[in-house]
Amino acid sequence: MSIANIFSLLGGVALFLFGITLMGEGLKRVAGSKLELVLYRLSGTPIKGVLLGAGVTAVIQSSSATSVMVVGFVNSGMMKLRQAVSVIQGALIGTSITGWVICLSSIQGGGWVSLFSTATITAVVAVIGIFLRVFSRKQLHHHIGDILMGFAVLMYGMQIMSGAVAPLKESEQFIQMMTTFSNPFLGILAGALFTAILQSASAAVGILQALSMTGAITFATAYPVILGIAIGAAVPVLLSALGAKTDGRRTATSYLIIEMLGALLCGTLYYLPNCFFHFSMNDWVMNPVSIAAVNTIFRLITAILLFPFSKQIVKLTKLIIKSDSGKKHGYEELDRLDERFLQHPALAIEQSRLAVNSMAQLAKDNLIASVHLFSDYSDKKKKAIEETEELVDRYEDKLGTYLVKINTHELSQSQNESASKYLHTLSDFERIADHAINIADRASEMHSKNLKFSEAAHEDLKVLTSAIFEILDLSISAFVDNDLEKAYLVEPLEECIDILCDEMKLRHVDRLQGGTCSLAHGFIFNDLMTDFERVADHCSNIAIAIIELNSDCFDTHNYVINLKELHSHEFDKHYEEYTAKYHI
């Protein structure tokens, strides 16, 4: 085999890998952005897990990609380890589909049969694919073009590999080496090492199919190599789990365990009887179709044999990977923002949504807790408020970085809108939590100085805090549920709160002049008014973000002007209702 043939083989492998990737990405996008969410939400039972794992892998053309996704699910707490094992078993079946696609490269013949030859099919597919990519303006057509171009590149890569290895059929050294691989241990080792380097079982099987066209590959050689390919395919999954939590590492380990047990069982089922009966099929000369068939049968047998033992596989992973020490309470939700999901925008957006919702609820609960300190103060409760504020800050930092990374990927219109909504509101939730700290500090000051508000001031604050609690509830409920009707109620209430704060400041000045309240009370009271006004402003920002993003525009200033000047969406009516409800 000349140096030119070696470079041709490497070039063919490169095209083959690129074709698989391009075709898989196109298929995934045509299938819709909900593909990963379907896998996450509908894999509740072992049977569903196996079927969905096989289906998703058949679409994206990579068991490793599916398994890496599942590692992310488990690592973020979205999926249980037992569910993940069944999905992985299904993924191992789905990955065998690529071998059957590659079989199309072996179609040959003359006359009318040549119309269905590899060269003709590949050329037609390539022409249609590039036509859709270049001349169509629809995004869907572009993705279909990617599928067709990926298929064409894959087939050309296969043809180049087949041509590069063709001289090997005359090479005695190659035939001798292939005979060496008929030793089960050497064959499995060779298959595992080769696949670990390529990091693609589909590519390894494809190269084996290309080599089979030389006529030098027998069943005795192909079978152990296929078993080894299965084991080697675990390498990219194990690498993806580096830095993951305990269950994430256990999920990756379960992939290796399943593949090793499958190779051990299928190897034993064949080689043990072969020691006594010497099967004639050892001498069968393999071709691309027979290799695809053996690979599929091996995968099916592995899934069938190991499916009843999912619980035992989970227990084995727990014996191998010991539990970590517990994480600080409250920080678990941040694990949702797993970097593995960035390649799957639908999942990344969904996890961001859940994390932002948690952040919003934390900010709301923290502000309510800070207000309650005035009536029931303790240092322990104040410390809890400070810890929660630190957690909200952590949410803002991690979510902001994560959402920026999501925006570097191709997103649908709805995904873009969701990412924009979350980015626009993060700082508002964080600032609400900051104001909770300010309010807690005021409560701490009053407690340390043994100060108490007058009865009149207390009644005024009672009315204002009720209005603040309502606007918090409205804005955060509107955000979580994307409820426009609730969002429209926020601005009238915010206007009411602003006027209420102004009135309360004037009333407090009167109390100061009358001697009912002291100057110390006055500073704290005015600071509280400022914090409450700012909280209402941030609630207004959140509601406006929801309304404007639903109308494909984001102009806060113009929205507020139009709302007040045009009295849109019954602003006046709601404002009067809130004025009557919260009066002093």
Side-chain angles (χ1 to χ4, degrees), residues 28-29 31-41 346-347 350 414-415:
K28 185 171 67 176
R29 291 191 174 110
S33 61
K34 300 295 184 183
L35 182 66
E36 299 90 352
L37 291 178
V38 167
L39 177 60
Y40 154 50
R41 289 172 176 167
L347 276 176
E350 173 69 4
S414 63
Q415 289 168 347

Side-chain angles (χ1 to χ4, degrees), residues 300-364:
L300 283 169
I301 290 174
T302 298
I304 292 168
L305 290 177
L306 296 181
F307 180 75
F309 300 100
S310 296
K311 286 184 179 179
Q312 286 71 23
I313 292 171
V314 170
K315 288 180 180 178
L316 183 57
T317 63
K318 290 180 178 179
L319 286 174
I320 297 171
I321 307 294
K322 303 298 183 183
S323 297
D324 291 335
S325 56
K327 180 173 284 194
K328 192 174 179 181
H329 178 68
Y331 284 77
E332 299 88 348
E333 282 289 312
L334 288 172
D335 291 325
R336 290 185 178 279
L337 307 178
D338 198 297
E339 297 283 328
R340 299 168 188 82
F341 295 148
L342 292 173
Q343 299 303 318
H344 310 280
L347 276 176
I349 291 290
E350 173 69 4
Q351 294 314 291
S352 299
R353 181 185 70 82
L354 294 172
V356 176
N357 288 352
S358 295
M359 178 186 180
Q361 193 61 48
L362 283 169
K364 172 189 169 183

Side-chain angles (χ1 to χ4, degrees), residues 395-553:
Y395 266 93
E396 185 192 28
D397 290 342
K398 191 162 184 179
L399 271 165
T401 304
Y402 196 72
L403 287 164
V404 169
K405 288 180 179 179
I406 292 173
N407 279 324
T408 63
H409 294 76
E410 182 182 339
L411 304 177
S412 67
Q413 183 179 348
S414 63
Q415 289 168 347
N416 263 316
E417 289 173 356
S418 295
S420 296
K421 171 185 168 184
Y422 304 148
L423 280 169
H424 276 116
T425 52
L426 279 181
S427 60
D428 289 302
F429 293 129
E430 191 274 334
R431 289 298 296 146
I432 289 171
D434 285 346
H435 287 295
I437 288 292
N438 293 343
I439 293 168
D441 287 340
R442 316 284 177 244
S444 177
E445 183 181 352
M446 290 193 69
H447 177 75
S448 63
K449 294 179 178 179
N450 200 26
L451 297 173
K452 291 186 181 295
F453 286 123
S454 66
E455 187 65 29
H458 179 75
E459 288 301 317
D460 286 356
L461 283 171
K462 187 176 178 181
V463 173
L464 179 58
T465 53
S466 296
I468 290 293
F469 291 167
E470 180 166 354
I471 199 171
L472 272 171
D473 188 61
L474 279 174
S475 57
I476 290 175
S477 295
F479 178 85
V480 171
D481 302 328
N482 202 33
D483 189 329
L484 279 174
E485 289 302 314
K486 284 185 178 179
Y488 277 117
L489 294 174
V490 171
E491 192 60 32
L493 181 52
E494 190 272 338
E495 185 76 7
C496 174
I497 289 171
D498 283 348
I499 293 172
L500 190 61
C501 287
D502 290 339
E503 290 181 9
M504 287 176 63
K505 288 176 183 177
L506 292 174
R507 286 163 65 93
H508 196 66
V509 169
D510 291 339
R511 286 194 293 271
L512 287 171
Q513 292 174 345
T516 308
C517 292
S518 68
L519 194 60
H521 290 101
F523 286 125
I524 295 173
F525 192 88
N526 280 328
D527 287 341
L528 277 176
M529 293 301 100
T530 301
D531 285 315
F532 286 138
E533 281 185 285
R534 295 292 179 267
V535 168
D537 289 341
H538 291 300
C539 289
S540 174
N541 293 342
I542 294 164
I544 290 169
I546 298 165
I547 294 167
E548 292 299 307
L549 287 170
N550 273 277
S551 60
D552 299 323
C553 171

